[in-house]
Amino acid sequence: MSLVLIQLLNGLQSGLLIFLAASGLTLVFGILGVINLSHGSFYMLGAYLALTFTGIFGDVFLALALGIPLAFLGGFLIEFLFIRHLYNRDHLQQVLLTFALILVFNEFQQVVWGSYPHSIPAPSYLADSVRLTEGLSYPVYRLALMAICLALALSMVLVIQKTRVGRLIRAAESNREMVEALGFDSRMIFRLVFAAGTALAATAGMLAAPIESAYPGVGDRVLIVSFVIVVIGGIGSIRGAFVGSLLIGLADAFGKVFIPQFSSIIIYALMALVLVVRPTGLFGRA
Amino acid sequence: MINRRHLLSMGVSAGAVSAFGSFARPSYAQSGSLKIGILLPFSGTYAPLGEAIMRSLELYTNSHGGKLAGREVSFVKVDDESAPPKATELTTKLIKGEKADILIGTVHSGVAMAMVKIAREDGIPTIVPNAGADIITRAMCAENVFRTSFANSQIGRATGDSMIKAGHKKAVTVSWKYAAGEEMVGGFKKAFAAGKGEVLKDITIPFPDVEFQSALAEIASLKPDCVYVFFSGGGALKFIKDYAAAKLGIPLWGPGFLTDGVEAEAGAAGDGIKTVLHYVGDLDNPENKAFVAAFQQAYKIPPDVFAVQGWDAAHLLDIGLKAVDGDTAKRTQLNAAMAAASFNSPRGPFKLSSAHNPVQNFYLRELKGGKNNYLGLAAAAIADDTVGCKLA
């Protein structure tokens, strides 16, 4: 029984964390229509930024305070230099360019940080573990992470549903020409959305760094799982990404324990199932 | 822009060079420089391993005046990128294109298997300085293929022996679900079962997934008296930290590769982890002291197990070359001399089994304060099985 509860906790925790990365991907994919393969690289760079900044400031949350604006700025720049040329092109060219970005970022990571793995300390006030069962403890940082991810998810929904910027983003998604005709610069909206997507991926990487460590390719699996979540939740839907992330997290956690021989395919099986029942994803529009 | 005529003339001159090259070969077979083809990862995750091996190869030749058996040595280095699909082409390039006399490579088992397949057909004397796939010195063994590192099962067995000696009875194993993990666990289980130990469960994680919380929850509910784990690199570091945070209070064991390369990063989380490997930095023998000092002086960092394997690859080759006075055309004698070689390595006494895998000591180490400390001999002169090897 306790194993079920622990796995419930594990599934929710990994689901909430992956939601941050997946929500960024679904925004970029849904609103800009761009397949961004380099999303996992932003996650990786986030982890390494956390490594460097935590080394300087001594606390991963201070690293976040500097890292998030930096990632936002980086995304802004990348959109201006590369991504904006992709909006009217087909998916193959988008895949090619963003794949090239992966290669560039990987090389950059090798040159700057090298290929040995590094660990990032959790802040001392969250470094302890709490006793769950007689033999097992759970790191406090993971619990804090769940709360932070939940808060971020909630504020994201509020921004998109309730604020002027959010309304503009939704408007630009459904009818770009109309938004421009009303006098808004949709190019700037797109640029901000891409920057926000980049910042979300990097934030996930930074937050995960103390439990995940930083090593080459740390973002690879994040990219693949994020795409699965985007497809399950429906392209462009934050709510879908949230539900999809939790589903994937739980399916993975329970799959590993109860049907270990299928654990590597269970999330893909889940995706296939959703596609059969709802081809546009759980919250996707036809 | 390159026009067609330019391209043609380049092709012709390239053809001329290669024709001349092969024509000229016999004349420098005895006297000219010795060409050693190097297939190692110089980029990607395994780059530090490739670099450590390469440094030792160069250190060995440089300490012999840049010569082996009286012949100048030149290395032709190829980055294999740890990509098995490219291995066949790159190996062929070294053997046929570069006309290497000797082949040394590599780290990744998949790449090594493709390389060895070609080397067996060609007959070029070949030394594997790391890749641990059992099959290389079992079913794929050959007269001309040698390994100066280890076989995966061999390390697993030595670790299992140590755990039995330490009084453990009930184990859970955790590893990635891939060939190296299965062999490391397979070897362990054999030794553990032979010592009347019981394996409660084998937990496997899809490669290269690093989410271990589920595995930890299972271990807690199974309550073994020890856990045997094989991961490496980033996965190993993460497992060590997660395991410590879960405060299971169950002794953690593994092959040495669990901790090597991440000792310092693991910090306090790694304290108390016991591992077994064929090398540890503070081994007390004259060869190791001299090697550590020379390596430290040349590269400003202490050598690791990969550097030792590279050093022994050069040493083994040196012995073979001396037996034929540097004439690599005498492959049969060269191979025979390497097969019979026996010397003192920084890791202790070194010789080869009938399948050309090292018969070597294994050492028990404990991680403490970011460093692996030598606890004692785990097992002396352990050989890997030679199942399926026609030489055996």
Side-chain angles (χ1 to χ4, degrees), chain A residues 7 115 119 128-129 137 142 211, chain B residues 48 213-214 238 245-247 265:
Chain A
Q7 287 309 85
S115 45
S119 78
D128 211 6
S129 306
S137 297
R142 283 180 186 266
I211 53 173
Chain B
Q213 289 301 317
S214 310
K238 184 163 188 292
K247 294 185 177 169
E265 290 293 327

Side-chain angles (χ1 to χ4, degrees), chain B residues 244-325:
Chain B
K247 294 185 177 169
L248 295 166
I250 303 167
L252 185 61
W253 287 71
F257 297 115
L258 177 68
T259 55
D260 281 44
V262 299
E263 301 101 327
E265 290 293 327
D271 282 354
I273 297 175
K274 292 208 175 90
T275 55
V276 171
L277 198 65
H278 47 289
Y279 181 70
V280 53
D282 52 3
L283 268 188
D284 189 15
N285 68 54
E287 289 76 21
N288 188 42
K289 283 185 175 151
F291 173 64
V292 170
F295 196 94
Q296 180 87 42
Q297 205 209 340
Y299 304 113
K300 313 295 172 228
I301 55 162
D304 54 13
V305 63
F306 308 107
V308 173
Q309 293 166 180
W311 178 264
D312 288 341
H315 196 161
L316 182 68
L317 177 62
D318 193 17
I319 289 172
L321 287 170
K322 277 190 180 126
V324 292
D325 282 330

Side-chain angles (χ1 to χ4, degrees), chain A:
Chain A
M1 182 56 206
S2 72
L3 188 61
V4 173
L5 288 179
I6 292 165
Q7 287 309 85
L8 196 67
L9 186 66
N10 284 332
L12 288 176
Q13 188 258 307
S14 66
L16 282 169
L17 183 61
I18 195 78
F19 163 72
L20 287 188
S23 63
L25 190 69
T26 205
L27 276 179
V28 171
F29 197 1
I31 296 173
L32 277 55
V34 170
I35 297 180
N36 180 21
L37 294 185
S38 57
H39 201 69
S41 299
F42 299 141
Y43 181 94
M44 174 193 74
L45 289 175
Y48 276 99
L49 281 183
L51 170 70
T52 301
F53 292 157
T54 308
I56 298 171
F57 303 117
D59 188 317
V60 74
F61 292 121
L62 293 177
L64 271 163
L66 185 60
I68 294 175
L70 204 66
F72 192 86
L73 205 71
F76 198 84
L77 211 66
I78 288 166
E79 198 278 351
F80 176 73
L81 291 174
F82 307 109
I83 306 297
R84 68 189 172 113
H85 305 293
L86 294 176
Y87 297 142
N88 298 319
R89 296 176 190 249
D90 64 23
H91 286 329
L92 182 64
Q93 298 188 32
Q94 299 175 351
V95 166
L96 271 177
L97 189 123
T98 53
F99 183 71
L101 286 177
I102 294 183
L103 299 179
V104 172
F105 289 133
N106 281 349
E107 204 56 39
F108 178 76
Q109 175 271 320
Q110 288 280 331
V111 171
V112 178
W113 290 285
S115 45
Y116 276 111
H118 294 282
S119 78
I120 292 104
S124 53
Y125 45 90
L126 295 176
D128 211 6
S129 306
V130 287
R131 202 144 268 295
L132 278 190
T133 64
E134 168 206 347
L136 183 74
S137 297
Y138 204 74
V140 178
Y141 185 82
R142 283 180 186 266
L143 296 173
L145 201 58
M146 290 173 75
I148 295 171
C149 291
L150 258 180
L152 282 172
L154 210 66
S155 44
M156 214 181 314
V157 171
L158 280 179
V159 167
I160 292 199
Q161 298 298 334
K162 302 285 179 200
T163 67
R164 193 178 146 85
V165 179
R167 277 198 294 275
L168 270 178
I169 289 172
R170 279 180 292 143
E173 181 205 358
S174 52
N175 196 332
R176 190 176 164 177
E177 285 82 9
M178 183 59 83
V179 170
E180 292 199 328
L182 290 171
F184 295 101
D185 185 357
S186 73
R187 284 174 307 175
M188 190 46 86
I189 296 172
F190 278 23
R191 200 155 298 157
L192 289 175
V193 168
F194 188 83
T198 307
L200 279 168
T203 305
M206 285 185 270
L207 280 172
I211 53 173
E212 190 102 328
S213 306
Y215 54 91
V218 66
D220 293 357
R221 186 177 148 77
V222 172
L223 174 74
I224 297 166
V225 175
S226 293
F227 266 115
V228 170
I229 290 168
V230 169
V231 170
I232 288 181
I235 295 163
S237 166
I238 294 284
R239 207 175 312 162
F242 188 76
V243 174
S245 299
L246 294 186
L247 272 179
I248 290 292
L250 291 171
D252 192 45
F254 284 104
K256 268 181 187 151
V257 171
F258 297 112
I259 37 171
Q261 55 277 44
F262 296 113
S263 65
S264 53
I265 59 153
I266 192 154
I267 64 170
Y268 307 105
L270 186 66
M271 175 173 76
L273 187 74
V274 169
L275 283 179
V276 168
V277 182
R278 283 188 68 103
T280 55
L282 295 175
F283 291 86
R285 279 167 295 171

Side-chain angles (χ1 to χ4, degrees), chain B residues 44-334:
Chain B
T45 314
Y46 286 141
L49 284 61
E51 193 183 13
I53 292 166
M54 194 63 233
R55 282 175 160 180
S56 281
L57 294 173
E58 286 172 340
L59 185 65
Y60 188 94
T61 43
N62 290 343
S63 68
H64 289 70
K67 289 182 181 178
L68 291 181
R71 286 181 66 183
E72 289 283 339
V73 172
S74 69
F75 292 108
V76 185
K77 301 177 203 173
V78 169
D79 178 9
D80 67 30
E81 301 171 38
S82 298
K86 296 183 185 168
T88 304
E89 187 197 331
L90 295 177
T91 309
T92 311
K93 191 174 133 196
L94 280 173
I95 297 177
K96 303 283 183 216
E98 295 286 346
K99 310 238 173 280
D101 302 301
I102 305 288
L103 187 60
I104 296 181
T106 182
V107 170
H108 187 286
S109 279
V111 178
M113 274 146 65
M115 181 196 80
V116 165
K117 206 172 155 210
I118 297 171
R120 296 178 73 191
E121 287 164 16
D122 182 85
I124 183 172
T126 300
I127 301 176
V128 179
N130 186 67
D134 289 347
I135 194 173
I136 291 174
T137 50
R138 290 188 184 179
M140 287 181 84
C141 79
E143 297 277 358
N144 62 316
V145 176
F146 303 86
R147 179 150 63 185
T148 59
S149 51
F150 57 89
N152 290 331
S153 297
Q154 194 184 10
I155 300 187
R157 259 171 74 180
T159 315
D161 277 345
S162 284
M163 291 167 70
I164 289 291
K165 277 186 205 153
H168 292 306
K169 292 271 175 269
K170 285 192 284 180
V172 168
T173 73
V174 191
S175 76
W176 273 318
K177 195 173 177 56
Y178 72 148
E182 278 159 21
E183 290 179 351
M184 291 273 187
V185 170
F188 158 76
K189 288 174 79 170
K190 233 176 178 173
F192 203 64
K196 307 258 183 293
E198 185 194 354
V199 175
L200 301 178
K201 184 161 188 182
D202 297 315
I203 300 174
T204 57
I205 314 272
F207 179 79
D209 200 352
V210 292
E211 186 50 56
F212 302 126
Q213 289 301 317
S214 310
L216 294 174
E218 272 199 278
I219 293 170
S221 70
L222 289 165
K223 298 192 180 66
D225 63 19
C226 60
V227 177
Y228 172 87
V229 176
F230 171 63
F231 292 104
S232 62
L237 178 58
K238 184 163 188 292
F239 188 90
I240 289 171
K241 292 186 71 185
D242 287 353
Y243 194 86
K247 294 185 177 169
L248 295 166
I250 303 167
L252 185 61
W253 287 71
F257 297 115
L258 177 68
T259 55
D260 281 44
V262 299
E263 301 101 327
E265 290 293 327
D271 282 354
I273 297 175
K274 292 208 175 90
T275 55
V276 171
L277 198 65
H278 47 289
Y279 181 70
V280 53
D282 52 3
L283 268 188
D284 189 15
N285 68 54
E287 289 76 21
N288 188 42
K289 283 185 175 151
F291 173 64
V292 170
F295 196 94
Q296 180 87 42
Q297 205 209 340
Y299 304 113
K300 313 295 172 228
I301 55 162
D304 54 13
V305 63
F306 308 107
V308 173
Q309 293 166 180
W311 178 264
D312 288 341
H315 196 161
L316 182 68
L317 177 62
D318 193 17
I319 289 172
L321 287 170
K322 277 190 180 126
V324 292
D325 282 330
D327 184 357
T328 49
K330 295 179 181 162
R331 283 177 169 175
T332 315
Q333 293 98 310
L334 177 65

